[in-house]
Amino acid sequence: MSSLFARLALPRASSLILASRPVAARALCSAASIAQARLPAAAAPAAARAASPFSSMMLRAPVTSAAHTQARTPVAFASTSAPAASHGKESSHWKFERVVAIGLLVAIPTAAVYPHIAVDMALALLLPIHGHFGLHQLITDYVHPKPAIFLANNALRILTLATAASLIYFNLSDVGITHAVKALWSL
Amino acid sequence: MRMASSAASTSPMDLPFFEKNKALGRPLSPHLTIYRPQLTSVLSITHRATGAAMTFAISTAAVYSALSVHDFAYNIDLVRSLDLPSVVTLTAKYILAWPLVYHSLNGIRHLVWDSGRALVLKDTYLGGYIVFGLSLVGASLLTLL
């Protein structure tokens, strides 16, 4: 299912938002903060890159101190947003995860001020997909014997599909997610 | 260091990662019972816990409503008929609102990190204090809405 989600991702649209992050991913966060805290600013990105084996597959361009600075300007965003052949499934999946998260940050306040069936349907997809990515990460980090990983991931797939189907059904056959939450809050 | 004595051909070093560490008696890293909790690590595990809890709550509510013979209004009327004191409803709303507000704000903090910003140790603490403080304020406002 994760590969399906990866294929659903819109590489061009998502790259406009997240294309040129100079260092990437939760895997790198702790390593980068340690490296940058102890080293001069110019040396930090290279050190952070060396510190994590996962960083190279997530980077759009080699990280230099110049790229690190330029990436904060709109010009650099535009210049690096063209899809490159060297980027595999992992980086587009990473970007799709961020797009879904940002989508929820937009959809939830929108639902609060402007309830609409379209927003409810967006929530019916975004909530289970985001939850799927989150729980999948927990399985990756905390579940280890191989058979348990297999079982957990398949249980997660069933949970995600059942949740999405139920939420869509609720939007079509009942008051919808937004009005349900508003009714709950009126108690 | 304890070594496996059962068979001469199998050394713990040949085992897969987790089995090897178990065979060698190595503790979990970081060793949770002796490693001092920090603001950053506590907020991090809280982000995961709130996300997982909300996902299970949403899934349970969604599947329950799909399988239930009653519509949503029936359940609302049922709770209303209990005439719960406002202490109970306000507490329940805060328990529902805080994870959403905290996870959303900390999610923004994560997106800032993903863009390569605020990765120095001082900023991770500053962001942590801001997110935790705002989550308490935001959840209070939502509760009283």
Side-chain angles (χ1 to χ4, degrees), chain A residues 2 25-27 54 57-58 93-94 97-98 129-144 149 152-153 156, chain B residues 44-45 47-48 52 110:
Chain A
S2 15
R26 58 218 157 223
F54 303 108
M57 74 182 184
M58 290 162 177
H93 182 260
W94 189 92
E97 286 180 339
R98 314 300 119 165
I129 292 171
H130 184 73
H132 182 94
F133 290 147
L135 290 182
H136 183 261
Q137 192 59 50
L138 295 191
I139 292 168
T140 304
D141 289 350
Y142 304 135
V143 178
H144 18 266
I149 298 171
N153 276 323
L156 176 60
Chain B
S44 174
I45 198 66
H47 187 74
R48 290 182 161 211
H110 266 277

Side-chain angles (χ1 to χ4, degrees), chain A residues 9 18 26 51 58 71 79 82 88 108 114-116 121 126 128 131 140 148 152 160 179 182:
Chain A
L18 294 155
R26 58 218 157 223
M58 290 162 177
S79 67
I108 293 172
Y114 182 67
H116 192 273
M121 284 302 186
L126 292 171
T140 304
T160 300
H179 284 117
K182 290 200 170 195

Side-chain angles (χ1 to χ4, degrees), chain A residues 35-97:
Chain A
Q36 293 195 350
R38 289 179 183 171
L39 290 162
R49 183 162 49 122
S52 169
F54 303 108
S55 59
S56 60
M57 74 182 184
M58 290 162 177
L59 292 168
R60 183 157 284 276
V63 172
T64 62
S65 58
H68 188 69
T69 318
Q70 281 169 13
R72 294 171 190 214
T73 69
V75 178
F77 254 62
S79 67
T80 54
S81 64
S86 63
H87 287 95
K89 232 166 50 169
E90 294 85 358
S91 72
S92 69
H93 182 260
W94 189 92
K95 269 180 252 162
F96 184 56
E97 286 180 339

Side-chain angles (χ1 to χ4, degrees), chain A residues 33 98 141-142 163 174 185, chain B residues 48 59 72 93 114 119 142:
Chain A
S33 48
R98 314 300 119 165
D141 289 350
Y142 304 135
T163 305
D174 210 313
W185 230 248
Chain B
R48 290 182 161 211
S59 293
F72 190 77
K93 284 181 191 177
D114 292 340
L119 285 166
L142 277 184

